[in-house]
Amino acid sequence: MRYRLTFIAGVALGYVLGTRAGRERYEQLKKSARQFTENPAVRNAAESAAHNGRDFAGKAYHSVSDKVGDKVPASVAERVRSLRDRSSQNGGAEDDWGTTNT
């Protein structure tokens, strides 16, 4: 019985110390990730990639729809239309992808 209590106390102490160390490391990683995403160079690259992706998707849709005609599924056509409308509403400006609302 004495060994069992010692073992349980050791497990409980290890759990408490491990979770505290794990939480500190988690907070450290979270802070590093936030600093990384707030870097202007990273934000510009992400926005540029998103913009280029939308442009490529629009061009691909048009080339496929020219070849396939009206056989493009309505869900795909609607999604491309909504992306195109969203881009035109922003005046062709970059979107707010990656911004934090705190």
Side-chain angles (χ1 to χ4, degrees):
M1 184 71 173
R2 186 174 106 186
Y3 297 113
R4 185 178 289 173
L5 286 175
T6 305
F7 177 74
I8 291 172
V11 168
L13 181 64
Y15 176 78
V16 169
L17 293 176
T19 55
R20 182 173 295 154
R23 180 69 182 181
E24 290 172 3
R25 181 67 178 144
Y26 168 75
E27 292 295 332
Q28 191 179 41
L29 289 171
K30 193 167 114 177
K31 181 180 175 184
S32 296
R34 187 178 302 122
Q35 288 174 344
F36 179 76
T37 57
E38 289 175 355
N39 184 341
V42 173
R43 290 183 56 128
N44 288 340
E47 290 170 356
S48 174
H51 187 277
N52 290 340
R54 282 193 300 273
D55 288 346
F56 181 74
K59 290 175 185 176
Y61 172 76
H62 289 300
S63 67
V64 168
S65 65
D66 289 345
K67 293 179 182 178
V68 177
D70 293 333
K71 295 181 181 173
V72 174
S75 61
V76 174
E78 180 60 34
R79 180 68 180 148
V80 171
R81 231 177 274 118
S82 69
L83 286 173
R84 191 178 322 129
D85 293 343
R86 185 171 136 192
S87 293
S88 65
Q89 287 174 355
N90 290 339
E94 300 295 329
D95 63 5
D96 59 352
W97 184 84
T99 59
T100 56
N101 294 328
T102 55

